[in-house]
Amino acid sequence: MQGSKFVKGAVLYESIDSYLKPLIKIVNPRIIITLGAIPLMAVFLVFEIKEHQKKALKILVDKAPLKLDNNIDLFPMFHCGSMGINFNRNMALQMNDWEKLKNYYIV
């Protein structure tokens, strides 16, 4: 089992360098929305953000948006699958998170 965690970590780092970093550079997004802790950590690695890496996802979702380089706003969200809704953040709280995002960007 330990070996599989290492392989998954290696694949994540490889994907960040070969896919995520170039994609963000090409798209140059105004906002980035992450679903769950692993995509959030990947974005933190792309932008070399260390101060938030040890914080709980709930704290970061509640503080959203987080400011990244190039005036990109980061909205970390809990994954909206059954595990996320049943164990991490209930449906009502997740709906409030999405409402906050919607209200933030209505022009």
Side-chain angles (χ1 to χ4, degrees):
M1 194 63 113
Q2 188 69 11
S4 71
K5 287 182 182 178
F6 175 75
V7 170
K8 289 177 185 176
V11 170
L12 176 65
Y13 285 110
E14 183 179 320
S15 297
I16 290 167
D17 285 336
S18 63
Y19 182 73
L20 187 58
K21 276 184 184 180
L23 182 63
I24 290 172
K25 187 174 183 177
I26 290 167
V27 174
N28 193 22
R30 190 171 131 205
I31 65 170
I32 295 175
I33 302 167
T34 57
L35 295 177
I38 293 172
L40 177 61
M41 290 303 123
V43 170
F44 284 164
L45 290 170
V46 167
F47 288 92
E48 299 177 4
I49 295 173
K50 295 182 181 171
E51 68 264 18
H52 295 307
Q53 287 183 1
K54 302 280 186 198
K55 292 182 181 171
L57 182 56
K58 180 196 178 311
I59 293 169
L60 297 172
V61 169
D62 291 341
K63 290 178 79 173
L66 306 173
K67 295 291 185 186
L68 302 175
D69 296 342
N70 302 329
N71 290 323
I72 299 172
D73 291 331
L74 172 63
F75 280 86
M77 299 289 201
F78 278 87
H79 195 282
C80 34
S82 62
M83 291 286 289
I85 291 173
N86 292 329
F87 298 108
N88 296 321
R89 196 162 176 92
N90 68 40
M91 178 66 92
L93 289 174
Q94 287 200 28
M95 294 301 286
N96 286 338
D97 297 337
W98 288 100
E99 284 292 324
K100 183 168 83 170
L101 174 68
K102 179 182 92 174
N103 293 333
Y104 191 83
Y105 282 100
I106 289 179
V107 189

